[in-house]
Amino acid sequence: MSVIYLDNNATTAVAPEVLEEMAPYLRDLYGNPSSMHTFGGQVRRKIEEARARVAALIGADPDEIVFTSCGTESDNTAVMSAVETYPHRRHVVTTRVEHPAVLNFARHLARKGFRVTYLPVDSLGRLDMDALSEALDDETAVVSIMYANNETGVIFPVRRIGGLLRERGILFHTDAVQAVGKVPINVKDLPVDMLSLSGHKLHAPKGVGALYVRKGTRFHPYIIGGHQERGRRAGTENVASIIGLGKACELAMQALERESSYVGTLRDRLEQALLQLCPDAMVNGDTGNRLPNTTNISFQYVEGEAILLRLDEHGICASSGSACTSGSLQPSHVLRAMGVPFTAIHGSVRFSLSRYNTEAEIERVIEIVPAVIKELRELSPYGRNGLGQG
Ligand SMILES: *Cc1c(COP(=O)(O)O)cnc(C)c1O
C-alpha cells in the first residue's frame, strides 16, 4: 500500500535533488573543511555555497548564517545567547503556544531563577499584542515568538512585534522553522535579530539547522570548542547535511510562490470538503492568516488518536496535537491555550501538506476521512448524543 503523507509539519521527505547534491560528500569527498589541504578545501567551499543559499532564501548575508544540528539547537542557542550577553537582564518573554524547543527551554530558565512571561493567544491562536507590550520591562533580555505555529499554521505578526521591540531596545528571536520555505521571508526588511530554521521541515535531512544572527547582534555560542562557524558553533560540520540544507533552500526559493499556491489549493480543497462532509467539524486557528500547507480540524466527540489509527490502516499519515507531545496523553498545549473545548481538542487532527502531494491523494483522503469519522462516532461512548454533548 502506498503512503499518503500529510504530516509534513512533523518532517518532510528529502528531495531527490538534495540527496543527489549530498551523495558525493558522503562517498568520496570526506575531507574536513577545516583542513589546510585542497581535499578539505573543496568541502569548505561547498559549505560556503550552502551558506549563501540558505542566506539567499531569507534575504540574509552569508556571514549571518550559523549552521547548527537542528531547529531545537537554533532555538536554545538564540535564547541562551541573549541571556548570556545581557547578564543583568533576568526576564524572558515567550508565548504559551511555542514549540517545546522554546517553551521547555524557557521553563528550564525559570527553574534557574529567570522570570518568564508566557504570553496568551486568543481563540484563533492570535497573539495579544497589548499583553506583549505590557510584559516588557528594563530586565527583559529577549523575546522569543514563533513565526508560524506548527500545530495550527497560524502566522504571527513578526513585523509588528519586531517593530515594538526595536523601539524598546530588546532582542527578538523568532522560531521560523515552520515558515521558512513556505512563506516569503526577507530579514532585510523584517525587524528580527535572530531566526531559527531546520532542514527536515523543508525537504533537507534531519539533524541540521541554521540560526540567522543579524550583523551587530551580541552573540554567545551554545556549543563551545573549536573555531568552526567562526567561533559561533563548535564541532566538525555535518558536511553532507549542510550541503543538503543549502540545496533545499535553493529549491524552495526557486519554487516558493508556485508551490505555496499549489499546496494551498490542495489544502483548501481538503479542508472545505471535510467541513462539508463531516458534521461537527471545525477548523482550529486563524484561517485568514495561516501557512498554506496546514489545516488543523477538530472532529468533535471522537478521539484524534482513534482517527489516526484508522487513517494509518489506509496508509494516510497525519497527526493529532504535535508529534513531539503525542506518545503522552497530554492534550495539545496550543489548542488549550486557544481555549478550544475539551471535546474538540481530543478530536483534533492536523493535516500538513507538501509539494509532493497530489490531487488524487487529496481526493482519496476526502473519501476516507468522513467514513472513518462516521464509523467512530457510532462506536463512541460519548457519541453525538451522549456525554460529550453540551
Ligand atoms: C520541528 C520544529 C522545531 C524543532 O526542529 P528540530 O530540527 O526537529 O529540532 C522547532 N520549532 C518548530 C516550530 C518546529 O516545527
Side-chain angles (χ1 to χ4, degrees):
M1 182 176 54
S2 65
V3 159
I4 299 180
Y5 188 76
L6 301 179
D7 202 11
N8 288 278
N9 288 8
T11 197
T12 60
V14 175
E17 301 92 329
V18 166
L19 195 56
E20 198 176 317
E21 190 99 354
M22 292 170 64
Y25 296 86
L26 289 165
R27 264 193 213 111
D28 307 316
L29 302 174
Y30 54 81
N32 188 323
S34 296
S35 297
M36 289 298 293
H37 40 70
T38 316
F39 188 60
Q42 63 190 336
V43 178
R44 184 161 59 246
R45 275 197 304 281
K46 192 70 184 170
I47 285 187
E48 292 318 312
E49 179 191 74
R51 197 184 308 282
R53 286 169 164 177
V54 174
L57 178 59
I58 60 167
D61 288 340
D63 59 10
E64 294 174 314
I65 300 296
V66 179
F67 288 116
T68 65
S69 71
C70 58
T72 301
E73 185 192 322
S74 298
D75 286 344
N76 283 207
T77 301
V79 176
M80 196 63 186
S81 171
V83 303
E84 292 260 22
T85 51
Y86 292 91
H88 302 296
R89 298 187 175 191
R90 305 280 295 171
H91 179 224
V92 171
V93 176
T94 185
T95 78
R96 291 178 60 192
V97 298
E98 296 301 310
H99 188 275
V102 170
L103 203 51
N104 285 336
F105 196 75
R107 289 181 182 136
H108 168 73
L109 291 177
R111 284 192 296 272
K112 298 245 173 216
F114 285 84
R115 216 161 26 95
V116 180
T117 304
Y118 305 93
L119 298 170
V121 296
D122 69 9
S123 62
L124 296 181
R126 296 174 302 194
L127 185 72
D128 184 338
M129 286 295 288
D130 292 335
L132 169 62
S133 179
E134 281 159 28
L136 305 173
D137 59 38
D138 293 344
E139 282 214 316
T140 312
V142 63
V143 173
S144 181
I145 295 178
M146 65 202 329
Y147 199 111
N149 186 270
N150 44 304
E151 293 192 31
T152 59
V154 170
I155 295 174
F156 284 85
V158 168
R159 182 182 308 281
R160 275 172 61 211
I161 297 167
L164 176 67
L165 296 173
R166 278 264 157 98
E167 275 171 28
R168 305 283 293 262
I170 296 169
L171 275 183
F172 180 30
H173 164 249
T174 187
D175 172 349
V177 168
Q178 288 295 344
V180 172
K182 293 177 187 158
V183 293
I185 294 179
N186 188 341
V187 293
K188 286 271 184 303
D189 56 30
L190 198 65
V192 305
D193 301 302
M194 289 180 279
L195 178 149
S196 300
L197 61 96
S198 172
H200 75 108
K201 303 289 173 76
L202 79 158
H203 304 294
K206 296 158 190 61
V208 65
L211 180 64
Y212 157 79
V213 183
R214 184 178 294 279
K215 218 168 274 165
T217 304
R218 284 155 72 176
F219 184 79
H220 192 274
Y222 193 61
I223 308 279
I224 294 168
H227 56 267
Q228 292 91 351
E229 297 297 289
R230 298 197 300 139
R232 294 174 295 180
R233 200 282 186 183
T236 301
E237 297 86 343
N238 182 353
V239 170
S241 292
I242 287 171
I243 290 165
L245 176 57
K247 185 64 183 178
C249 287
E250 186 189 66
L251 293 174
M253 186 158 161
Q254 285 164 354
L256 196 127
E257 226 167 284
R258 176 161 36 86
E259 268 172 13
S260 64
S261 113
Y262 170 74
V263 167
T265 304
L266 289 184
R267 189 273 314 268
D268 291 345
R269 162 78 185 132
L270 174 67
E271 184 173 273
Q272 279 154 23
L274 294 184
L275 290 179
Q276 199 172 22
L277 296 170
C278 306
D280 293 313
M282 57 178 227
V283 176
N284 295 309
D286 182 6
T287 53
N289 197 17
R290 263 188 315 175
L291 296 173
N293 79 319
T294 308
T295 176
N296 187 310
I297 304 181
S298 280
F299 303 96
Q300 297 204 70
Y301 319 120
V302 249
E303 283 294 328
E305 315 276 301
I307 301 171
L308 293 188
L309 284 175
R310 290 302 167 91
L311 294 185
D312 193 50
E313 288 166 12
H314 292 278
I316 299 170
C317 306
S319 138
S320 71
S322 83
C324 314
T325 46
S326 64
S328 72
L329 285 172
Q330 279 289 315
S332 153
H333 70 286
V334 175
L335 300 183
R336 268 187 298 157
M338 291 160 62
V340 176
F342 174 85
T343 50
I345 293 183
H346 281 273
S348 72
V349 176
R350 178 188 71 189
F351 300 97
S352 48
L353 285 63
S354 85
R355 67 168 79 119
Y356 297 120
N357 289 122
T358 64
E359 234 167 275
E361 287 179 332
I362 296 305
E363 294 309 319
R364 175 121 180 90
V365 175
I366 291 170
E367 270 172 39
I368 291 168
V369 173
V372 163
I373 301 298
K374 183 162 182 292
E375 188 190 322
L376 289 172
R377 285 230 175 101
E378 280 158 9
L379 294 172
S380 167
Y382 50 58
R384 284 197 62 205
N385 301 308
L387 290 174
Q389 196 86 5

